[in-house]
Amino acid sequence: MERQMYHYATVSKALEELKEKGFTTDFNLQEDKIINNPDNFEISHIYRYEGESDPGDEATVYGIKSKGGERGVFVAGDLSMGEKSATQVLNELSIRGRQESQN
């Protein structure tokens, strides 16, 4: 799995670029799809944004593809790592993707 990390000035710029690349679904509105079917998704783009003065301004933007061809985004704030959250699932998918690319 080839995944690219991008660095944009703002989260909105990252979302704009991903939309231009065809990532149009807002998976924040469909979080249960990710939580209940993590193997149906692959992370293709990751963007991490860190606030300059406030660590609470941290966010991660994921560009996600489903096995069915749906492409969209998920935006996770730094405090959204709950036990059964889509952010946790995406973090695990990211780790799995890195391990698979090393093998």
Side-chain angles (χ1 to χ4, degrees):
M1 167 174 64
E2 185 176 324
R3 185 179 43 234
Q4 298 178 6
M5 177 128 5
Y6 294 92
H7 300 281
Y8 299 109
T10 64
V11 169
S12 28
K13 183 65 178 167
L15 291 171
E16 182 182 311
E17 283 285 319
L18 288 170
K19 185 175 183 178
E20 289 175 9
K21 294 177 185 292
F23 291 81
T24 56
T25 300
D26 183 349
F27 283 115
N28 286 83
L29 301 175
Q30 302 176 27
E31 190 171 356
D32 287 344
K33 277 185 169 181
I34 296 169
I35 293 169
N36 296 324
N37 302 294
D39 291 332
N40 288 341
F41 295 93
E42 175 183 303
I43 299 169
S44 16
H45 304 281
I46 298 176
Y47 163 71
R48 297 187 198 284
Y49 176 76
E50 297 179 15
E52 291 182 26
S53 60
D54 182 359
D57 289 342
E58 293 177 8
T60 303
V61 177
Y62 296 93
I64 304 168
K65 294 181 186 176
S66 74
K67 287 186 178 179
E70 190 172 23
R71 294 160 54 127
V73 297
F74 187 87
V75 180
D78 71 323
L79 301 176
S80 59
M81 275 294 255
E83 185 176 320
K84 264 303 206 184
S85 70
T87 304
Q88 181 64 34
V89 171
L90 292 170
N91 186 50
E92 291 168 7
L93 285 174
S94 176
I95 291 168
R96 186 182 327 154
R98 278 182 285 192
Q99 290 170 343
E100 289 172 0
S101 69
Q102 292 174 357
N103 292 331

